Every structure is written in structure tokens, then in C-alpha cells.
């Protein structure tokens, strides 16, 4: 069985959504994940306050046949008011997105769990899941902790997002991944990294945003990880590498990313709708 591949926005963050969609279509992807909200104040994000760009993006989707599996990013850093995110949910729905990337950063795990539950409830009417990506420097720092948050939140549209570089750097194991309920994984990411990496937060963040490797170049057990996923699960290719992309050019780099990913996750299939 074949699976759809989506290009994560972090791989080509400075490309506008129409430019990204066109490049992804040319390289052979079935979808793109789009960042609609910035990771930090003043950070790069698109579409939320630009109706003309939204129209152009929707036209590009119609012309290319690509889909938008996921939109980013909601960071739960403390008490969460879901009301300011309603326009974000509406934009995701307009784009046909199915998943929201969420980070769990509030050190009060009981409050984080409650916030995640309310976020799931708020986005569910828009046809969206909320998928918490664990990162080793956050409160949701591994599979086990994140699974507990999701299960305690008790929402059917709550899920866990596994990024291989964070899997490698966290206290997560293949057994933890194998034991996740199938319905808890709505989509997954792919990349590679060396076994020996940074141990401080600044180094972890730098490597994750600028120096990921193509699948097969590092030490992550990607084939074992991919066996844990449904054969038609969407794989988001998140492989930012500033130096190598600059040397190769954007189209060549994202094509290399796709071809390397297929060797570990299986042949590409039609876009999921």
C-alpha cells in the first residue's frame, strides 16, 4: 500500500505558501504543511491576515491537486484561552487541513492536560485534530509523558506527533511507540540525525531547525519506526538543513528529501482528502 507525503513548512520556511505548494508539486509531494501562527513573536508565519495570499494559496491547491494535511502551531505555555484561536481554526478548515501541530510547554501538567482537552474540544467542530509533538526540552518531553496527557484529556481528536529527531533525543523507545493506540497517531514526521548530538537546549533547537539529515544518513531506527504506522499514514517530511539546501538549491533539496524518505517509509500514493 502507498502513502501520501507532505512537505513540512520548516524545511522551506521562507517560501510563501503558493511558492511552497508549487515547488512541492514539482518535486512529487502530495501535500504541504503550512505555518499559520509564528513559533515566537515576530517569527515567520503566513495567511492569517492576508486574504489575497489566502486566495492565491487556494488557487494553487486547486491547480496542483495538493492537500494541506496540517497547520502550525499552537504552543501551550501556560493557561490557555482558546477564543483567540478561532480564526486559526477557520483558516485551517478553509485550507482543508485535518491536523493542528501543538506543543506542550506548561510545566504544570494538570493544567497542560486541561488546556489540551479544551483545545481539542474547540477545534473539533472544524474537523481538526490536535496533535502534540513532544520535544526533549519541553514539559511534553517524550512519548510516555505525552501519551498520558492525551489519554487524561480524554478527547477523541487528540493525538501524538512523533518527530524522529526528538524521538532520538528523548527518553522514548521503540516499545513506547509500538504500544501507542493506532488511533492516537494521525500523521508522523520523518528525518534523520546522528546518535551523538547536542545535550543542551540551545544545541538541540539549533540542530532541529538547521542541521537535520536525510533518512539513511544518521542513526535513527527509521524503518522500525515506520513499521509502527499504518501503511497509508501521511508522512510529513521535515528536514531543514540550511547549508545543504543552499548548496543544492530548494527544488533539488526537497526532491532529495522525498526520494530518501520513500526508501524508508514506502512508495508515494494519492493525497489524502
Amino acid at each position: 500500500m502507498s502513502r501520501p507525503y507532505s512537505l513540512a513548512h520548516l524545511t522551506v520556511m521562507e517560501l510563501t505558501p503558493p511558492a511552497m505548494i508549487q515547488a512541492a508539486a514539482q518535486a512529487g509531494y502530495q501535500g504541504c504543511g503550512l505555518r499559520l501562527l509564528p513559533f515566537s513573536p515576530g517569527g515567520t508565519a503566513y495567511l492569517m491576515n492576508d486574504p489575497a495570499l489566502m486566495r492565491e494559496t487556494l488557487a494553487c491547491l486547486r491547480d496542483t491537486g495538493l492537500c494541506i494535511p496540517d497547520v502550525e502551531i499552537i504552543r501551550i505555555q501556560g493557561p490557555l484561552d482558546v477564543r483567540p484561536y478561532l480564526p486559526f481554526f477557520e483558516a485551517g478548515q478553509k485550507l482543508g487541513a485535518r491536523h493542528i501541530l501543538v506543543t506542550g510547554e506548561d510545566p504544570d501538567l494538570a493544567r497542560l492536560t486541561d488546556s489540551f482537552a479544551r483545545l481539542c474540544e474547540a477545534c473539533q467542530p472544524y474537523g481538526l485534530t490536535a496533535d502534540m509533538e513532544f520535544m526533549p526540552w519541553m514539559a511534553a518531553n517524550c512519548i510516555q509523558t505525552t501519551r498520558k496527557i492525551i489519554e487524561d484529556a480524554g478527547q477523541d481528536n487528540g493525538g501524538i506527533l512523533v518527530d524522529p529527531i526528538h524521538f532520538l533525543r528523548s527518553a522514548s523507545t521503540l516499545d513506547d511507540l509500538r504500544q501507542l493506540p493506532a488511533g492516537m497517531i494521525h500523521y508522523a514526521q520523518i528525518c534523520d540525525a546522528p546518535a551523538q548530538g547536542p545535550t543542551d537546549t540551545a544545541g538541540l533547537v539549533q540542530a532541529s531547525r538547521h542541521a537535520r539529515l536525510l533518512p539513511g544518513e544518521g542513526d535513527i531506527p527509521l524503518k522500525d519506526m515506520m513499521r509502527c504506522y499504518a501503511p497509508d499514514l501521511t508522512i510529513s517530511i521535515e528536514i531543514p538543513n540550511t547549508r545543504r539546501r543552499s548548496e543544492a538549491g530548494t527544488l533539488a533539496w526537497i526532491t532529495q528529501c522525498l526520494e530518501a524518505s520513500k526508501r524508508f517509509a514506502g512508495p508515494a500514493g494519492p493525497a489524502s482528502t
Side-chain angles (χ1 to χ4, degrees):
M1 185 178 293
S2 55
R3 64 167 79 253
Y5 288 89
S6 178
L7 179 62
H9 216 152
L10 185 61
T11 307
V12 288
M13 183 58 73
E14 81 288 352
L15 292 189
T16 65
M20 181 184 177
I21 291 164
Q22 290 166 353
Q26 189 174 352
Y29 288 78
Q30 288 72 52
C32 291
L34 298 180
R35 181 161 294 186
L36 308 189
L37 296 176
F39 187 81
S40 56
T44 303
Y46 301 92
L47 295 175
M48 289 301 300
N49 299 301
D50 194 334
L53 188 61
M54 175 64 84
R55 289 192 296 270
E56 184 182 357
T57 299
L58 293 172
C60 282
L61 291 173
R62 290 192 296 270
D63 291 344
T64 61
L66 266 63
C67 66
I68 305 296
D70 64 285
V71 289
E72 302 178 0
I73 182 173
I74 293 179
R75 301 177 66 182
I76 305 178
Q77 299 174 288
L80 183 71
D81 181 359
V82 299
R83 291 171 296 180
Y85 294 105
L86 296 181
F88 171 76
F89 302 153
E90 292 170 0
Q93 184 181 51
K94 183 178 292 187
L95 291 162
R98 302 184 304 282
H99 317 300
I100 298 170
L101 193 157
V102 181
T103 59
E105 305 175 52
D106 187 348
D108 184 330
L109 291 184
R111 186 172 61 193
L112 174 57
T113 301
D114 178 69
S115 294
F116 184 70
R118 288 186 288 106
L119 176 61
C120 289
E121 291 172 347
C123 72
Q124 192 277 334
Y126 298 87
L128 293 162
T129 68
D131 297 85
M132 186 172 288
E133 180 179 359
F134 61 89
M135 302 181 193
W137 60 89
M138 295 184 176
N141 59 5
C142 64
I143 288 177
Q144 289 184 339
T145 300
T146 308
R147 176 178 178 172
K148 184 174 186 338
I149 291 167
I150 295 164
E151 290 181 334
D152 289 352
Q155 302 297 314
D156 290 341
N157 63 329
I160 185 169
L161 177 59
V162 180
D163 182 332
I165 196 169
H166 302 318
F167 173 89
L168 180 69
R169 306 285 183 232
S170 71
S172 301
T173 68
L174 282 169
D175 282 343
D176 294 333
L177 184 57
R178 293 185 185 108
Q179 291 165 14
L180 286 174
M184 193 176 282
I185 304 174
H186 301 128
Y187 73 111
Q189 295 178 337
I190 192 169
C191 68
D192 212 338
Q196 297 301 317
T199 57
D200 62 298
T201 297
L204 290 167
V205 171
Q206 172 70 16
S208 132
R209 294 181 182 174
H210 298 287
R212 300 192 190 201
L213 302 179
L214 295 175
E217 294 181 341
D219 301 300
I220 301 176
L222 290 174
K223 287 191 176 180
D224 290 330
M225 294 180 72
M226 294 299 143
R227 291 189 188 102
C228 298
Y229 305 143
D232 59 349
L233 189 77
T234 296
I235 300 298
S236 174
I237 297 178
E238 187 171 75
I239 314 179
N241 188 303
T242 303
R243 178 185 60 82
R244 291 176 65 178
R245 181 182 160 205
S246 176
E247 292 172 353
T250 292
L251 182 59
W253 177 246
I254 66 173
T255 301
Q256 290 176 42
C257 292
L258 178 59
E259 293 306 315
S261 297
K262 287 179 186 178
R263 289 194 287 272
F264 284 83
S272 298
T273 57

